[in-house]
Amino acid sequence: MVGLYVHIPFCSAICNYCNFNRGLFDADLKQRYLRALEREIRGKADGTPADTVFFGGGTPSLLEPSEVRGVIDACRDSFKLTAGAEITLEANPETVTRDRLRGFRDAGVNRVSFGVQSFRDEELRRLSRLHSARRAQEAFEMAREAGFDNVSLDLMMWLPQQTIAQWLSSIEALIALGPDHASLYLLEIYPNAPLKDTMARSRWSLAPDDDAAEMYLGALSRLDDAGYVQYEISNVAKPGRESRHNLKYWTDGEWVGFGCGAHSTRRGVREKNIASTEDYVQAVNAGMAVETERRVLSVQEQLEEAVFMGLRLAEGVRLDGVRSRYGVDLWERYGEDLTPFVDQRLVIYDGGALRLTRSGMLLANEVMSVFIGPPVR
Ligand code: SF4
């Protein structure tokens, strides 16, 4: 069963920390892009069963409900969308109204993921976000009123000038709303991000690393108490509300991506579409291939990826699954290099699975370096 990813590269304004593939909203380009997108989807029709569709961006909620319906219909006509398929739309709080949300629901969307980032206005302003904390709360309530019983909220931690207590106040505000799912990301500031200059000019700083660790652990422990289950390094959910689409990335699954910059992974082959929106539209219109990269992954690369992604999950990587798919006994091959991490209680090996503890999740990159290339010995 594959997952379908649909990229919508338009935003009303560009946030000062953003490193995604996106550009400013342009009504004419949007029309041309949607026509190209549907053509790409229909051109790749092969009737494979699919059980998830994920509209990511960019800001997919800038589309009209009828446009979202058109894309979902193209997916439905081209792939065997299962009954009850999870159809997620990423949304920015300032873009939604009750009517628009009802429209998205009628179009077939059954899960909304809001980019909230913070419930403190001061922090939202520092990130140049267009919404306020109140607007985010209203957007969530409107989604419930529109009938969405599967809503996710994203928050970002380790923001400029943010203290542990301030971060935890956003977590409390999230818990008070009671979403079904939440993602907690660490703000990453890229070298050329405008936020970097603003921070220097405004003399904003980041809390020390130890505080970042405390933010992460403190948030998870409050979410535990509130009945959320951490199922991945950055994700928690009420039981049964895990993101089925994102689980495909973490469980060595298969997905097909449509739109500019989208990736696909199927049968050990990784493909990436043209990143530029305009170039993508032109390529589709000219009947040319939109993939700029196509790479057959070696067995070692597939194994590394399966382990990297699997270790992100709270349940970890099952050794029998890896053995039957790749013919490799992970503990036999990497056990000696992993033992120091097991001794420090960063990794748990119980004979059947390897998994990171919460402290291990904080140092995930160090642990995962063990699996790159042949074992060090
Ligand atoms: S809304 Fe999201 S994709 Fe758009 S600029 Fe802001 S962070 Fe980037």
Side-chain angles (χ1 to χ4, degrees), residues 11 13-15 17-18 20 22 57-59 92 129:
C11 292
I14 304 301
C15 304
Y17 59 90
C18 178
F20 296 118
R22 72 322 181 235
T59 308
N92 281 2
R129 298 291 307 205

Side-chain angles (χ1 to χ4, degrees), residues 103-317:
F104 291 138
R105 199 164 161 71
D106 291 345
V109 175
N110 52 26
R111 182 172 184 271
V112 180
S113 176
F114 284 112
V116 173
Q117 320 315 356
S118 165
F119 281 105
R120 299 187 66 251
D121 288 342
E122 193 185 13
E123 291 172 358
L124 289 167
R125 276 195 296 273
R126 285 193 195 115
L127 295 175
S128 67
R129 298 291 307 205
L130 297 177
H131 64 274
S132 63
R134 185 66 211 128
R135 187 71 175 89
Q137 283 156 338
E138 284 165 4
F140 177 83
E141 281 151 13
M142 287 191 273
R144 286 291 195 229
E145 284 163 25
F148 284 101
D149 61 359
N150 198 356
V151 180
S152 180
L153 303 182
D154 287 2
L155 288 182
M156 288 200 310
M157 71 185 114
W158 212 23
L159 304 179
Q161 300 292 86
Q162 190 182 49
T163 64
I164 298 173
Q166 289 167 343
W167 158 246
L168 292 177
S169 73
S170 275
I171 291 290
E172 297 300 347
L174 178 141
I175 291 172
L177 286 178
D180 309 279
H181 183 282
S183 303
L184 315 178
Y185 299 112
L186 211 63
L187 172 68
E188 280 183 60
I189 305 175
Y190 294 92
N192 57 353
L195 175 59
K196 207 175 159 100
D197 291 341
T198 312
M199 282 181 68
R201 261 199 322 278
S202 312
R203 308 210 170 162
W204 294 340
S205 57
L206 296 177
D209 289 11
D210 284 355
D211 286 14
E214 216 173 300
M215 286 178 182
Y216 178 74
L217 297 173
L220 289 173
S221 117
R222 276 169 174 73
L223 288 159
D224 288 343
D225 294 344
Y228 291 89
V229 179
Q230 182 189 15
Y231 69 102
E232 196 264 351
I233 290 186
S234 306
N235 288 277
V236 302
K238 293 271 176 70
R241 289 303 197 195
E242 299 82 6
S243 161
R244 277 159 46 198
H245 183 81
N246 287 339
L247 276 168
K248 297 207 183 284
Y249 303 138
W250 301 317
T251 55
D252 209 6
E254 301 202 322
W255 61 93
V256 190
F258 302 103
C260 57
H263 295 244
S264 304
T265 299
R266 274 177 99 178
R267 304 179 200 101
V269 178
R270 164 93 16 104
E271 290 178 334
K272 184 173 183 274
N273 283 1
I274 297 168
S276 143
T277 308
E278 192 63 66
D279 293 352
Y280 165 85
V281 172
Q282 282 180 18
V284 175
N285 289 346
M288 286 158 54
V290 292
E291 297 83 8
T292 45
E293 284 173 37
R294 183 176 194 277
R295 218 156 59 79
V296 179
L297 301 173
S298 68
V299 175
Q300 176 64 25
E301 282 174 317
Q302 290 182 50
L303 169 69
E304 282 170 15
E305 186 137 328
V307 175
F308 285 176
M309 296 313 251
L311 273 181
R312 296 187 60 93
L313 291 172
E315 66 180 27
V317 182

